[in-house]
Every structure is written in structure tokens, then in C-alpha cells.
Amino acid sequence: MNKQLKNQSQLEYVLRHLPDKSPAADLQKNIISSLPEYKDPWIKRMRQFFGPWPTIYRAAGAIACLVLAFYGGMQVDRFVPGNITVSGESAAVQNNMNDKAYYYLGRSLLAAGRAEDALNAFRSAELLSPNVLQYGLWKGAAYRTVGATDKERQTYQQLIIRRPESLSPRINLANNLLQAGQPREAEQIYKLILDREPAEKTALYNRALSLRMQAKTLAETEAWKKYLDYYRAGPSAYRALQHLHELGDYSFRIYQLGRRAVIINQKRLLSPQDAGINREINYLVQQFKNRSLSELSIVVFIEDDVQQAKNIADSLRMAIGDQTAGREQTSIHISWFDEPEPLETLGKRRVYLSKGVLIFSTLKNNSKKEERI
Amino acid sequence: MGNNNDRALVRRVLKGEVQLFAKIVERYERPVYNLMYRYCRSEQDAADLSQDVFLRIYDRLASFNGDKKFFPWVYALAINIANDWYRSNSLKRQKMAELQWQIPDVGAGSEQERILIDQEVAGDLYRALDELSDVSREMVVLRYRYELNFSEIADIFQASEGAVKMKISRGLAKMKTILGGDIHE
């Protein structure tokens, strides 16, 4: 978790200073130029119009206006012209600029909502320095912003030919295909990327998305697990976990250790023979060291097998104890049940796990306060 | 956003000094644009929707109750337009909301804001805000970013103050959970 967001007051502080996105420079001008001439509300205008007339004329006038308004409403489409587009200012691109100047100009034009002009700037930057990857990637982004997805795709394809070693254009090409409704083709590209770079974060995440779009639930489940094997921090990890739970897989869970929510692979913790158990326990220990926990409680649930539940709880206590030896003492309490574990999912559903491990902690400075999920 | 100032501006626009509406646009274009961007995630759509909002504000200016604050009234109109957009575009929005790109979003905000809150924190914060429902997210933003009180937020969403407090508190708790955890490497 980001160090600046550790508690509620810090979270509130950064929310108060949340940076805004700047609207396009010409938004205000466009709004003002599109305003119609201001008129009082129609009822007020009617009142003013009929005010000095005798009552009978007023009533007759009102009825005539209603009839005309109805007829006028029926005919309005025939007379009102279509949308008039406001042409933007021409791009302030100078001929004597170097590639970096064009690049920064493009970035600022894109930020200002002038994607067409930004596109010209990125094109110029790329013409001057065809080997700079960033220029091409931003050109692709500008094409995406203006909705030219075919040209965006061609941009990435050209970048791949020019810079075959770079993964970014491949990822963006796969994303483009996914957006165009070609998840199978996209997935193949993500897979190639992961063959070369197994921990590539964006490809790991988007591959799972592409599998979801193909309704390949088993492969999707494995893909989310793979993502969580590498990345357990931040909103993307949280969302990956949510997807996994939606698919009915609870091998990963979120635990509250002190003030920190931590994602742990409980399946590994429950399998003492699993080769990854030491890594998992090491990760668990890293999460609560230096966090002033006075107690760590571990509850193991194995349906209809109390002995196995006890054995696992014992071995977890021992393994955690081994890894925390010599450090500030956190006492570890274990308990076990031969029943399924009731679990509330992130989607607030209640499920029962035939095998489960519940971990919760007590803070040192407030031993009565127990925090758990 | 001075309320007396707003009332005076509205009165003058209604009396015919239409050019002063530009001041209202200048004052509120940023929060309105950002609200729209949070809904539609497209700069072009956000700009178009902001334009619609100000046209509606202009159109309904005479119905503004001068005893109340102007900003919540503006925001309520904007929320209605955002909801209309959401209803017709929800599928498009959901389908690709999670896709991650290799180019970071174009940064925004003043230099001081950048110093105060680095891009990584802002990015995480926005992603955590994204996990809240639209209503909870906007309540959190209104409460902290624009410092509206609970009763003003309740007015905008036509909810009770208690419901607003509960949604904001739950929203913050969820954000804390989402922002928790460490990189596992």
C-alpha cells in the first residue's frame, strides 16, 4: 500500500487534494458560443404579453398559443438545422521545432482535448526521430482518442516491426484487438508477451480479461491466480481477487492484519507439502513485521477431519515461529475445527469452504480491538 | 466558490447581462468536467457532456432558488445528465473499464498539487474511487474535494443525511481495503 494512505486522516487529506483533470482550453469558448439568446421562462413571457389585456382576450390568446405551440412542436424538426460543429483552432505547430518539442506539444494538445492537433505533432516528432518508441505509442493513443482504431492498430504494428524487442506496442496492439471484439487474437499476443516476460503486469491482467471475454472460465481462473501470484497490491489486485471469487475460487483471500488488508494464498497455507508454502509464509510474516501486532490468531477449518485441521494449525504456527525467531515477539494462537468455514466474499455473498484458514490479529497498543475479515 | 457572489451573478444574468454567464462557466467548468470524466472516461465525451450541463444550467437559471447554494444546484443538474449518459452507455463503459494500457494517463493539476500528491498516489486513489458505486464516489468527492456538508450532499442526491454519512463512511472503508496490501515479489 502506498505509504501516504496508511490511515483514514491521510486518506481524507489526499482526497482533499485530489488533482483534477484540466478541461480543454476551448471548452469555455465552445460553451459560451453555443448559448442561445437568453429568454425569460415562457410562463413569465406569456404573463407579460397578456398582462394588460382584458380577461376574455387573455383566455382566448392562451388557447390560441397552446394550439400553435402544439402544431409548432409537431413541425419543429422540419425547420431546425442539424448540429453545427465548431471548428477548432489550427495546430500551432512550427516548422523549426525538434522532435522533443513536437512530442511535448503533442502531449499538451492531447491533455487539452485537441487530439487531432496532437496527432499532427506526434507524427512530426516521429518523422524526425523514427526510433523513439514513445512518439509512436503516443501517436497510437491520439488515434485512439479520436476513435481511429484501425490507424491505431497500424501504428502499433509498424512499431513492432521497427522495435521487435519492445513489449509496449504488442500490449497496446492486443488491447486494441480486445476493444475491437477480437479477444482470441488479443489473448494470443498477451500469451507471447508472457512467454518472454512472465511477470509483465499489464499483460497478465489483460490476458485474464481477454479470457473472460471468451467465456473460458477455467483458463480465466488460472490467469487471475497467476496475476495474484505476482501482484497483490493496489486496486488491480483487489479487482483480480474479486473476479476470482466471482468464479467460485477462494484460493486467494484478503485478511486484515493490523490496519493493513493483505491478500494471501490460503490454498498454499493449507497444503504443508506444497512447494510454495515457505514463500507464502515468508510473505505473511513480511506483512506483520514492524506492525506492532501483539497477537496473530490462526483458525483452521477442515470439514470432517479434526486431526488434519490440528496438524495444519500446528505446522503453520511452527513455520511462522521459525521465520519470526529473534524478532519482536508476536504471540501466535491457533485453533481448529472439523467444520466448513463460513466466509463472506468481497461481493458480500456467504459461502462455506470445506477447507479454510482464517487469520486475524490484535494490535499491540489496543489489545481489545480485534480486526478481522 | 463564494455563494453571495454566485447569487449576484445569477441575478445579473437573469436581468439580461448574459455575458456574465461566462463567469459561471469559468467558476464551475472544472468540477463539472471532472464529474463527467469520472462517469464516461473519455475526454471528448466529458467535454460534450459539460457543454450540455451548462446549456441546461443556462436554460433553467430562473428556477434556481437564491436561498440555497449555487454549486450543489449545478452539481445536481450535472449528475442528472451524467446518469442519462450512463443509462445509454453503461455497456460500453463496463466492457473496457478494466483494460490497462502501457502509456500512463496524461497528468493534470497544478504544480502545487503535484508536489502535494504524487502521481502514483493519485492514480491509486482514482482506481480505488472507481471501485465505489457512482453515487458513493461522487459523495466522497463532494465531501472531501469540494468540502460540501452532509445536508448539501443529501440535497443533491435527494437522500437523508444519515444515508449520505453511511455511504461516505462505507466508501472510505472500502477504499482503505482496496489500497491495502504490498507487492508480492
Side-chain angles (χ1 to χ4, degrees), chain A residues 216-263:
Chain A
K216 293 182 174 175
T217 47
L218 279 178
E220 184 196 342
T221 305
E222 290 310 310
W224 293 126
K225 281 154 76 169
K226 199 91 186 154
Y227 180 86
L228 289 169
D229 262 342
Y230 287 104
Y231 303 101
R232 297 190 185 177
S236 298
Y238 179 85
R239 222 182 267 188
L241 185 71
Q242 206 164 17
H243 288 313
L244 203 53
H245 286 192
E246 282 161 10
L247 290 163
D249 187 300
Y250 301 96
S251 49
F252 285 85
R253 280 172 67 175
I254 199 160
Y255 296 103
Q256 193 80 31
L257 296 181
R259 292 196 176 91
R260 174 167 290 201
V262 179
I263 295 173

Side-chain angles (χ1 to χ4, degrees), chain A residues 51-112:
Chain A
W53 291 14
T55 314
I56 188 146
Y57 288 130
R58 279 191 229 174
I63 292 165
C65 281
L66 282 173
V67 171
L68 278 172
F70 178 74
Y71 183 73
M74 302 281 285
Q75 300 296 316
V76 75
D77 282 348
R78 291 173 57 185
F79 303 107
V80 175
N83 289 337
I84 300 163
T85 51
V86 182
S87 61
E89 290 170 27
S90 59
V93 177
Q94 304 295 317
N95 287 333
N96 55 354
M97 285 162 61
N98 67 13
D99 61 319
K100 277 191 182 159
Y102 278 117
Y103 168 66
Y104 288 115
L105 175 68
R107 293 276 304 265
S108 50
L109 286 168
L110 197 60

Side-chain angles (χ1 to χ4, degrees), chain B residues 106-123:
Chain B
V106 180
S110 69
E111 202 51 43
Q112 290 95 318
E113 284 167 338
R114 276 170 211 267
I115 293 165
L116 214 53
I117 174 173
D118 66 72
Q119 224 165 17
E120 189 197 346
V121 178

Side-chain angles (χ1 to χ4, degrees), chain A residues 174-194:
Chain A
N175 289 358
N176 172 290
L177 290 166
L178 199 57
Q179 283 197 309
Q182 299 178 48
R184 210 170 130 256
E185 290 78 359
E187 195 239 323
Q188 284 167 355
I189 299 175
Y190 293 132
K191 195 172 171 301
L192 287 174
I193 294 165
L194 292 169

Side-chain angles (χ1 to χ4, degrees), chain A residues 281-296:
Chain A
I281 285 173
N282 182 265
Y283 178 66
L284 176 65
V285 169
Q286 293 297 321
Q287 302 310 305
F288 68 77
K289 82 169 185 192
N290 305 328
R291 301 220 192 288
S292 306
L293 300 183
S294 65
E295 281 179 20
L296 185 73

